[in-house]
Amino acid sequence: FSEEMASIDYYVKCMNPMERITETDYRINICVNPGPDISAPIIVGADPTNEAVLAFGAGSQDVTFYTNEAADCKWDTVRPVQANMLDNYNELANTMECSATSTDLSRGIYPCTTSLPIDQEINNFYVLCYDQPWFGEGTGPDGETRNIGALNGGLYHYSLRVSESELEIDSIEPGGREIDGVEPVLIDLIVETSGGGYNGKAVCDYNIENPKITTGFTQFGSTNLNIHTQPVLQWFSGTSKISIECIDDAGNTASGESELILELDTTAPK
């Protein structure tokens, strides 16, 4: 904004589903301080979120940091300890790809993307951002200086944890051979999971293939836990192949299979 545009009015009219339009305009006034920017940039979010859990065996992770204004951002795995923020910023070894255009105008956030190495169970990173990138390494036309920060005027500490183990399917019930007198037989499907990033907590789907019916992969009625249940399923005679697929919030996946052989006893007792 120029000084002449330091105050801008927007006028809005609304129309409801019945096509009735508001009689008066709704005025939105935006005021921009024409003075120099003296506020340090702030990282307002990240994807994945700070302290997120990654899949077991992850070796790298693409990350997007979001700042509240356009900025250049850098990161390192070693925390800088210089006396001033510019020296700390320059000591960070790795740059990011940052956009000077907001990707979410409703929130006014600006993305910076990078790929972070993952080589420990807990991986720590330190980030600083340098605002007003259009000034380059110098100052603005009126002597404005760039501001450095990321969180409360200081470093942003970002951490990612790797899952301690793979996600596992421990049991699938029913399984084996069952004998009944009529079909369909009503039996609950129960699956138990463990490991992964959240001690077995995951979302699971099931698929049942039988000569008489195939369900297609369907989410369990009760899931996002370490025990997943689908009550009162109909089972038909013959061999039913049960396929299970699970995923947790860290991205760990597991799959498993079981078979239920249902035999009908239609012989009357003697």
Side-chain angles (χ1 to χ4, degrees), residues 183-204:
E183 64 173 348
V185 178
L186 302 180
I187 305 175
D188 296 349
L189 177 60
I190 303 174
V191 169
E192 187 168 353
T193 50
S194 63
Y198 300 92
N199 297 318
K201 180 182 177 184
V203 173
C204 294

Side-chain angles (χ1 to χ4, degrees), residues 3-139:
E3 290 194 21
E4 293 78 12
M5 298 177 62
S7 180
I8 299 178
D9 290 329
Y10 292 94
Y11 296 91
V12 179
K13 280 185 176 292
C14 299
M15 181 173 66
N16 69 13
M18 302 298 294
E19 298 187 355
R20 295 175 179 171
I21 301 174
T22 54
E23 295 182 359
T24 57
D25 296 337
Y26 182 78
R27 175 173 171 265
I28 302 173
N29 177 258
I30 298 176
C31 296
V32 179
N33 186 346
D37 178 2
I38 58 173
S39 299
I42 300 170
I43 292 178
V44 295
D47 182 19
T49 59
N50 198 1
E51 300 183 348
V53 181
L54 305 181
F56 179 77
S60 64
Q61 179 63 47
D62 292 337
V63 177
T64 301
F65 295 97
Y66 296 97
T67 58
N68 68 328
E69 61 175 313
D72 294 323
C73 295
K74 298 175 70 177
W75 66 269
D76 209 325
T77 57
V78 179
R79 184 186 185 99
V81 291
Q82 300 301 318
N84 66 75
M85 294 303 293
L86 180 57
D87 288 341
N88 281 332
Y89 178 81
N90 289 331
E91 190 170 297
L92 298 175
N94 306 281
T95 60
M96 302 187 196
E97 291 290 330
C98 296
S99 174
T101 303
S102 175
T103 57
D104 188 336
L105 294 176
S106 65
R107 293 187 294 165
I109 56 176
Y110 298 77
C112 285
T113 60
T114 189
S115 181
L116 300 179
I118 305 298
D119 54 16
Q120 303 179 63
E121 181 180 342
I122 298 177
N123 301 266
N124 294 303
F125 306 93
Y126 302 93
V127 181
L128 276 174
C129 298
Y130 204 3
D131 74 359
Q132 304 175 91
W134 45 85
F135 288 158
E137 295 303 318
T139 59

